[in-house]
Amino acid sequence: RKEVEQDPGPFNVPEGATVAFNCTYSNSASQSFFWYRQDCRKEPKLLMSVYSSGNEDGRFTAQLNRASQYISLLIRDSKLSDSATYLCVVVDRGSTLGRLYFGRGTQLTVWP
Amino acid sequence: ETGVTQSPTHLIKTRGQQVTLRCSSQSGHNTVSWYQQALGQGPQFIFQYYREEENGRGNFPPRFSGLQFPNYSSELNVNALELDDSALYLCASSLMTGGGYGGELFFGEGSRLTVL
C-alpha cells in the first residue's frame, strides 16, 4: 500500500471554476502535510503547507482531517496559469530527515 | 529560481552503463536529498546526505550511491543501469538544524535520464 494516494485525474475545468483535489495517507503518525505544484517537465515547488485548522492562501484552501487521514486542496476562480500537476506530500512524525512522501499527483488543465 | 542546480539536464545511457548526476545546493543549505520521479508518478526518496554522510535511504538497491562534498554539493551514482531507471532525478537542498526536520526543500530542475 502506498504511503500517499491521489486521484491522478486529469481534471479539465473552465476558467473561473472551483476544483477540489483529495489525498489520503496511510501512516497515522504522519506529522506534516503539504501541497506541491509541478509544471510540465519542471521541478516540484511548494504551494502551501496544510494545517489541522485548515488554511487559506488567496484562492487556495487546504484542509486536513487527521481522523480520516485525508487532505484536500480547493482552488477557487481557476486561472489558466493554475494548469499543472498538484502533488500531495506527507512527512512522518519523528522524521529528522525531512523525507517527503509524494502522491503521484493530480493533473489539472484549466481551459479558456 | 531555487538556486539548486543540476547537471546534466538530459542524458541517454544504455543498459549496464553507469551514470553520475551532480547537484549544487542552495547557498547556506547543508543537506541534499535525491528523488527519482518516473513518468506519471510522484517523486520517490532515494537518500539524503547531511554533513557528507548518508543520513537515510529509501527503498533503492545499493547500485544507487551518492556523495556529498565539503561545499555541500552532491553526486548521485547509478551502476548497472536498467531500463526502469529511466526517470527524472531531482535533487533538493535544505537547511538541517540541530532540532530535526530541516524545513522546506528546494528542488533543482532535475536530470532526465533515459536508459535504452
Side-chain angles (χ1 to χ4, degrees):
Chain A
R1 183 180 178 188
K2 287 193 174 182
E3 288 275 344
V4 181
E5 298 274 7
Q6 275 185 268
D7 178 353
F11 285 66
N12 298 302
V13 303
E15 270 188 298
T18 295
V19 61
F21 306 138
N22 303 314
C23 160
T24 58
Y25 60 95
S26 61
N27 187 352
S28 60
S30 295
Q31 178 180 36
S32 304
F33 309 90
F34 307 92
W35 284 99
Y36 273 68
R37 170 192 167 128
Q38 187 171 25
D39 293 304
C40 186
R41 305 185 77 80
K42 303 287 282 183
E43 75 277 20
K45 293 183 179 177
L46 178 64
L47 177 65
M48 59 195 302
S49 301
V50 186
Y51 303 118
S52 296
S53 55
N55 50 296
E56 188 174 304
D57 182 3
R59 298 181 293 107
F60 298 83
T61 301
Q63 296 278 354
L64 168 64
N65 184 323
R66 286 189 182 270
S68 301
Q69 296 179 207
Y70 171 96
I71 305 161
S72 66
L73 176 68
L74 183 77
I75 305 176
R76 292 183 301 277
D77 188 24
S78 298
K79 310 292 184 189
L80 296 178
S81 58
D82 293 335
S83 296
T85 296
Y86 291 84
L87 298 158
C88 176
V89 180
V90 168
V91 178
D92 288 345
R93 186 184 305 277
S95 169
T96 59
L97 305 181
R99 173 179 178 171
L100 307 183
Y101 290 92
F102 285 83
R104 65 180 298 181
T106 299
Q107 186 179 343
L108 171 66
T109 300
V110 181
W111 45 273
Chain B
E1 298 302 325
T2 64
V4 180
T5 58
Q6 293 187 242
S7 63
T9 55
H10 296 81
L11 69 166
I12 300 173
K13 293 285 188 177
T14 57
R15 285 173 56 187
Q17 285 189 311
Q18 178 267 344
V19 68
T20 297
L21 308 178
R22 297 179 176 83
C23 172
S24 293
S25 58
Q26 187 179 97
S27 178
H29 285 180
N30 57 10
T31 303
V32 173
S33 304
W34 286 92
Y35 287 78
Q36 179 197 63
Q37 187 175 23
L39 194 62
Q41 301 298 318
Q44 300 295 310
F45 178 75
I46 303 174
F47 43 54
Q48 183 186 77
Y49 278 82
Y50 172 58
R51 292 184 174 179
E52 302 177 52
E53 293 193 0
E54 188 179 290
N55 188 40
R57 187 178 186 93
N59 189 26
F60 281 82
R63 59 190 185 82
F64 285 78
S65 63
L67 287 172
Q68 187 181 32
F69 301 100
N71 66 355
Y72 304 120
S73 65
S74 177
E75 287 183 355
L76 164 65
N77 299 289
V78 187
N79 294 322
L81 284 167
E82 301 177 359
L83 297 180
D84 286 348
D85 295 333
S86 295
L88 179 68
Y89 289 85
L90 294 159
C91 166
S93 77
S94 59
L95 177 62
M96 184 80 74
T97 62
Y101 174 53
E104 183 179 352
L105 268 62
F106 293 85
F107 284 89
E109 293 191 0
S111 294
R112 191 168 298 278
L113 171 65
T114 301
V115 182
L116 302 176

